[in-house]
Amino acid sequence: MDIAPVVLLIILVTGFITYRGLNDSSFFSKYNFDLDKVRRGEVHRIVTSGFLHVDWMHYAFNMFSLYMFSSIVVTLTGSVFFIIVYLLSIAIGNILTYQLYIKQSQYYAVGASGGVTGIIYAAILLYPDLKLYLFFIPIGIKGYIFAILYLVYSIYGMKRNLGNIGHSAHFGGAIGGLALVLIRYPQLLNSQKELVVLLLIPIAVLAYLVKTKRI
């Protein structure tokens, strides 16, 4: 599968910033999503943290997931809309994280997961028949199944507080990708009604867990 120039640019820029962050703790601290510092007005962290990762495995998983879904969004909507979805999904993901953890001091997280999840949700809505063929699974996996499992793992990561990865940002990203595509293509609310409901299920589960204070 070919890679669009805009996607390659994001992967390379994210790789460079991740490299800087992993080798320079002051750089990492300056641009990560540090909730206390965001609260004090350093709002740039809402976006810049999406270009940092805790390690190369974290980076590779996010960029591989982005690569797998990106061509659909770029081909069907163009590079500009792709960038809008990606960056706004990062921002929305971190804004949701801020709201969820606003009372928690010394919380910080990094990762492009919000943007990646936004692209995943956008791709699935635009091309519902999408199938993924992963090297460790010999049969095609429906894109929406991958997306739901991705968010289920995110709930697990939030409950277990795994690493310093912004698992909650996945949900904000999913909301961003879903909303932005539906705003641009409102007809999908009718033609893909069942799929929209299905994609909303893990988001509803998270909302329930937060409301009942189980997360």
Side-chain angles (χ1 to χ4, degrees):
M1 185 170 65
D2 294 334
I3 183 168
V6 66
V7 180
L8 180 60
L9 178 62
I10 287 175
I11 291 173
L12 292 176
V13 169
T14 304
F16 174 74
I17 294 175
T18 293
Y19 173 80
R20 282 288 308 274
L22 292 175
N23 290 277
D24 184 343
S25 58
S26 63
F27 181 88
F28 187 92
S29 297
K30 184 177 181 180
Y31 295 108
N32 67 7
F33 184 80
D34 185 320
L35 193 145
D36 291 332
K37 292 179 180 177
V38 172
R39 188 185 292 116
R40 292 200 292 268
E42 296 184 22
V43 294
H44 65 275
R45 295 171 180 271
I46 289 174
V47 173
T48 58
S49 60
F51 292 85
L52 291 166
H53 291 82
V54 295
D55 54 40
W56 288 113
M57 183 62 71
H58 184 206
Y59 165 81
F61 179 77
N62 274 339
M63 294 301 100
F64 176 73
S65 299
L66 178 66
Y67 166 73
M68 292 297 292
F69 289 89
S70 60
S71 64
I72 293 171
V73 181
V74 174
T75 301
L76 296 179
T77 68
S79 296
V80 173
F81 186 72
F82 172 86
I83 293 174
I84 290 172
V85 172
Y86 186 74
L87 294 180
L88 280 183
S89 293
I90 288 175
I92 293 169
N94 283 327
I95 289 170
L96 176 62
T97 299
Y98 182 87
Q99 294 299 322
L100 289 175
Y101 295 99
I102 191 169
K103 296 181 180 179
Q104 183 174 329
S105 62
Q106 298 182 335
Y107 175 92
Y108 79 89
V110 295
S113 303
V116 172
T117 312
I119 295 300
I120 290 173
Y121 261 55
I124 292 168
L125 273 180
L126 292 165
Y127 187 58
D129 294 328
L130 172 67
K131 284 187 177 181
L132 299 179
Y133 291 87
L134 305 178
F135 66 91
F136 51 86
I137 300 177
I139 60 174
I141 301 175
K142 285 283 191 178
Y144 68 83
I145 294 176
F146 179 87
I148 291 171
L149 291 176
Y150 193 69
L151 293 188
V152 169
Y153 170 75
S154 300
I155 291 176
Y156 175 79
M158 291 173 67
K159 288 180 69 69
R160 296 291 184 179
N161 194 26
L162 297 178
N164 292 112
I165 298 171
H167 296 285
S168 56
H170 301 183
F171 287 89
I175 293 169
L178 190 69
L180 289 167
V181 169
L182 290 177
I183 288 170
R184 181 165 179 175
Y185 304 103
Q187 65 270 23
L188 292 175
L189 275 171
N190 291 322
S191 62
Q192 301 297 338
K193 185 183 302 181
E194 294 81 4
L195 180 60
V196 171
V197 171
L198 189 62
L199 292 175
L200 284 171
I201 289 174
I203 296 173
V205 170
L206 175 66
Y208 171 77
L209 292 174
V210 170
K211 185 176 181 180
T212 58
K213 302 186 184 302
R214 298 184 185 184
I215 288 185

